[in-house]
Amino acid sequence: MALDKNTTSDDLNRDPISGAPGAHPVGTGVGATGGAVAGAAVGAVGGPVGAAAGLVIGAVAGGLGGKAVAERVNPTVEHAHWQNAYDREPYYETGRTYDDYGPAYEMGWSSRATAVDEFAAVEPSLAREWEARRGTSSLGWDQARPASHAAWERADRLYFREEDTAFPEGDPLSNDDVVDVLNDLLENTRDGEYGFRTCAEEVETARLKEVFASRAAQCQAAASQLVELVIAHGGKPAEGGTTSGALHRGWVHVKGAVGANSELSILEECERGEDAAVARYRKALKQALPASVRQVVQTQAQGAQRNHDQIRDLRNEARAARARD
């Protein structure tokens, strides 16, 4: 690939191990950190010296692995995008600079590059890491979270969506394993149904009541499909939802009782629930499901993604409206 005439050697994202241009410091750096920890754990079997050697070897191997995972996420491109867009985002606070939001964006896309779960699953660890990774940013995690989430979603949409839904290799699952996957999704859809019905009861806006009621009905229909598939594969449908789902429903009730901005709070909590739902479907689609089952799961996964995106857009509208008030 020809270089722009203004490109310097410092712009080449050189691999810190080989010196070759084109390496992404996000992938290499994150991979090196994870690899060092893993290497130390393995090396510790041989005592302190083994742990020290494991740190070095793990960092090298992890750096290469991180590079492979994140090769498509170009930090130069991502920084350029967000530097141009950050002050038009609904969470932007007047007077803030890109120096405030930049570390949050970087945390978002770099975490997506190495993650096996959805944003909701890794958010607690990101919140803990924020103090160490914020640099000169003046944002607290509550203020930085929307930016990190936005960068995560952009990276996911541009670089990883096709990878997450690719047909997996390997032997087909046994009927028992298929039932386990389906029951996990069944609990997920019931969580969604109950959660959306609760939200419909909590909000006052007719538009949101209609959206939440529609989503609850869609979840109920999806659950019925999954029950039929479980029975067809010789299994017993799971009863009820999950503990995390019950906690989610309880949190919606608490948020609804807050008063001011309660609908925004409910939408934010709904988005977290939809993050978890999308994660469940992506996890299922990584399994070697029978073709007929996979077709149903794929269709439901696409619906879950659409639901997530609509809730996200409604949440953005609510945040923008609050900012104007």
Side-chain angles (χ1 to χ4, degrees):
M1 178 180 67
L3 295 177
D4 182 87
K5 63 181 180 180
N6 295 320
T7 301
T8 69
S9 59
D10 292 335
D11 298 324
L12 298 179
N13 289 331
R14 291 190 179 276
D15 190 315
I17 298 171
S18 68
H24 290 173
V26 170
T28 308
V30 173
T33 302
V37 173
V42 174
V45 175
V49 175
L55 277 168
V56 175
I57 296 170
V60 174
L64 292 173
K67 176 190 170 187
V69 170
E71 187 66 29
R72 287 170 292 171
V73 182
N74 188 317
T76 304
V77 171
E78 295 308 301
H79 270 302
H81 168 80
W82 289 113
Q83 195 161 17
N84 182 58
Y86 80 98
D87 56 357
R88 299 194 300 274
E89 291 293 300
Y91 47 80
Y92 171 71
E93 297 179 3
T94 303
R96 299 286 189 185
T97 69
Y98 185 69
D99 289 339
D100 290 314
Y101 291 100
Y105 290 131
E106 185 167 343
M107 175 178 273
W109 76 63
S110 64
S111 298
R112 176 61 187 94
T114 58
V116 293
D117 288 310
E118 286 298 298
F119 186 85
V122 301
E123 182 187 346
S125 65
L126 297 184
R128 291 191 296 271
E129 294 172 17
W130 175 241
E131 287 303 314
R133 297 178 62 175
R134 65 192 293 177
T136 60
S137 173
S138 62
L139 302 181
W141 174 245
D142 286 345
Q143 297 165 302
R145 179 190 178 278
S148 280
H149 195 183
W152 173 294
E153 287 190 336
R154 172 179 155 85
D156 177 69
R157 185 170 60 252
L158 294 182
Y159 308 116
F160 298 101
R161 189 68 54 83
E162 181 178 349
E163 172 186 287
D164 285 340
T165 58
F167 195 90
E169 298 179 357
D171 296 332
L173 295 182
S174 67
N175 272 4
D176 287 346
D177 288 338
V178 171
V179 167
D180 287 343
V181 171
L182 292 172
N183 272 333
D184 184 62
L185 294 176
L186 177 58
E187 291 178 338
N188 174 71
T189 56
R190 285 175 174 160
D191 288 344
E193 179 187 353
Y194 301 147
F196 280 123
R197 290 199 190 285
T198 298
C199 290
E201 295 169 359
E202 294 284 350
V203 297
E204 297 180 359
T205 305
R207 178 190 180 194
L208 288 183
K209 281 184 176 293
E210 182 179 353
V211 168
F212 292 148
S214 174
R215 293 293 172 265
Q218 290 172 6
C219 289
Q220 184 179 46
S224 297
Q225 284 185 309
L226 294 169
V227 165
E228 292 178 3
L229 287 174
V230 168
I231 295 173
H233 285 79
K236 179 181 178 181
E239 298 179 1
T242 62
T243 301
S244 62
L247 290 173
H248 169 65
R249 293 190 295 276
W251 184 241
V252 168
H253 275 299
V254 171
K255 289 286 191 179
V258 170
N261 299 319
S262 61
E263 290 192 350
L264 172 58
S265 298
I266 289 173
L267 283 166
E268 289 174 336
E269 189 59 27
C270 277
E271 186 184 12
R272 293 174 192 260
E274 290 294 83
D275 282 343
V278 170
R280 290 280 190 92
Y281 277 107
R282 289 189 177 177
K283 178 182 176 182
L285 289 170
K286 291 182 184 294
Q287 307 300 313
L289 297 168
S292 59
V293 173
R294 183 177 178 81
Q295 183 176 3
V296 173
V297 172
Q298 181 80 65
T299 300
Q300 291 191 5
Q302 292 167 350
Q305 185 65 57
R306 287 193 298 272
N307 292 348
H308 169 277
D309 293 347
Q310 183 182 32
I311 295 299
R312 176 202 62 205
D313 292 343
L314 289 169
R315 180 260 293 160
N316 285 343
E317 288 180 16
R319 281 182 179 169
R322 185 179 67 174
R324 290 192 298 268
D325 292 341

